[in-house]
Amino acid sequence: MKSYDISNPFFSNFPINPNIEWQMSRAEKYCLIHLLENLNPEYSIEIGTYKGGSLQVLSKYSKKVYSIDIDSEPKLSLENQFDNVIFKVGKSHNIIKDIVKEIESKNGKLNFILVDGDHSKDGVRKDIECILSCNLKYPLTVILHDSFNPQCRLGMKSVNYEKYKFIEHIDLDYIHGSFSPNKNYREMWGGFAIIKINPKIKKSNFKINQSQKMLFNATYWKSIHIIKDKLLFLKPLKKLLNL
Ligand SMILES: C[S@@+](CC[C@H](N)C(=O)[O-])C[C@H]1O[C@@H](n2cnc3c(N)ncnc32)[C@H](O)[C@@H]1O
């Protein structure tokens, strides 16, 4: 059964390609389009290409995009559809630093990153740490998808942000998420966290804002995560047994 498309009806001048699956909610789509239309990045990086849903927006509003996926399929199927996108295949945290160096060597300005790849706690933490430890020279906006998912959120909270003095603003609930509207019964997904970086500032005491912390907590206690996340330690065993 085809899952219910929660973005309909959608009102925008942005020409969404209906043949490309885009794994974001209506609010997230509106937000991403508006954000990028206003930021107009010179260079953007996307972690998590998948079917190219978010990439179509990054491609339209950025001069050049690097899009990373651990799977080679997105590169193979999308390479001919976007002429300003360079596709990279591999684990994001092994690739990001080289991409940032490549942009720097071209005297390019990296202005936007979308993090939407590995959704485990450690995966999210590694992506953020990798980005923050790069030589960032220009104002940069980082959007992290699925901040409403408890594991992703833990990953986002586990970073020692104090180490990085150029962070201007963090909010884990820039756009808040919801229960998954489709088959994942009472799983919490979606939401955008934002990290705004400004290399000109040197700040040491800032706060990780969680503007919808109460909503997150209330939803968590009604969610499947109170059981499911406790069983995550069985994951390696399940993989071993091929379950
Ligand atoms: C949720 S999908 C991305 C959805 C897409 N951004 C969109 O809006 O439609 C996540 C993608 O991240 C990729 N991925 C998972 N772990 C990764 C990693 N460590 N490095 C790079 N890509 C990864 C997966 O193969 C998958 O295609």
Side-chain angles (χ1 to χ4, degrees):
M1 193 178 76
K2 203 167 180 277
S3 57
Y4 172 57
D5 181 356
I6 52 165
S7 40
N8 280 329
F10 197 78
F11 303 92
S12 170
N13 292 329
F14 183 86
I16 293 182
N17 183 338
N19 301 317
I20 294 183
E21 187 184 339
W22 184 359
Q23 288 200 321
M24 285 184 183
S25 73
R26 179 177 40 224
E28 291 158 2
K29 289 178 183 178
Y30 279 129
C31 176
L32 194 68
I33 292 170
H34 190 76
L35 193 74
L36 284 164
E37 196 180 9
N38 282 275
L39 282 176
N40 263 141
E42 187 175 317
Y43 278 84
S44 293
I45 299 176
E46 173 181 62
I47 301 175
T49 318
Y50 191 54
K51 307 279 186 195
S54 43
L55 182 58
Q56 61 189 316
V57 189
L58 271 76
S59 165
K60 179 162 168 67
Y61 296 117
S62 315
K63 252 195 190 152
K64 197 98 194 167
V65 184
Y66 285 84
S67 188
I68 310 169
D69 206 288
I70 198 166
D71 192 341
S72 57
E73 171 53 32
K75 175 180 159 81
L76 293 174
S77 58
L78 296 170
E79 211 157 31
N80 296 328
Q81 293 188 47
F82 298 99
D83 46 12
N84 64 343
V85 178
I86 297 171
F87 291 89
K88 298 275 182 182
V89 179
K91 281 189 183 166
S92 48
H93 57 262
N94 294 337
I95 302 179
I96 296 169
K97 282 195 175 156
D98 287 341
I99 294 179
V100 175
K101 277 187 197 150
E102 204 172 306
I103 295 172
E104 201 182 334
S105 72
K106 294 175 187 167
N107 290 322
K109 294 182 182 147
L110 173 62
N111 302 127
F112 183 77
I113 302 183
L114 173 66
V115 179
D116 194 13
D118 182 342
H119 286 67
S120 66
K121 176 187 165 194
D122 278 353
V124 172
R125 178 185 52 74
K126 275 188 199 165
D127 276 345
I128 300 172
E129 287 175 348
C130 236
I131 292 167
L132 296 179
S133 53
C134 285
N135 183 18
L136 303 169
K137 291 188 174 163
Y138 300 97
L140 169 67
T141 303
V142 183
I143 290 289
L144 304 122
H145 193 212
D146 292 314
S147 55
F148 209 59
N149 176 268
Q151 290 304 312
C152 294
R153 199 174 181 96
L154 277 176
M156 291 170 198
K157 285 165 78 175
S158 67
V159 175
N160 178 13
Y161 294 101
E162 289 290 334
K163 265 173 69 183
Y164 312 97
K165 309 288 182 211
F166 46 63
I167 297 176
E168 201 175 337
H169 183 79
I170 301 183
D171 189 350
L172 299 190
D173 301 302
Y174 187 57
I175 298 283
H176 67 74
S178 63
F179 278 139
S180 171
N182 288 310
K183 51 190 183 289
N184 306 328
Y185 180 62
R186 280 195 283 134
E187 281 190 24
M188 296 161 73
W189 286 104
F192 278 171
I194 190 165
I195 305 178
K196 208 165 170 287
I197 289 162
N198 182 353
K200 286 205 176 122
I201 62 161
K202 300 266 177 282
K203 215 162 141 185
S204 54
N205 58 337
F206 64 88
K207 191 168 143 234
I208 302 179
N209 295 291
Q210 299 184 66
S211 49
Q212 289 300 320
K213 187 177 178 178
M214 276 177 17
L215 177 71
F216 175 84
N217 288 341
T219 313
Y220 181 76
W221 289 109
K222 299 271 182 194
S223 79
I224 201 79
H225 298 281
I226 37 175
I227 305 162
K228 196 179 168 207
D229 292 9
K230 299 261 180 318
L231 300 176
L232 275 177
F233 71 96
L234 293 173
K235 215 175 166 186
L237 186 69
K238 276 169 78 181
K239 211 171 166 186
L240 200 72
L241 298 172
N242 218 359
L243 292 175

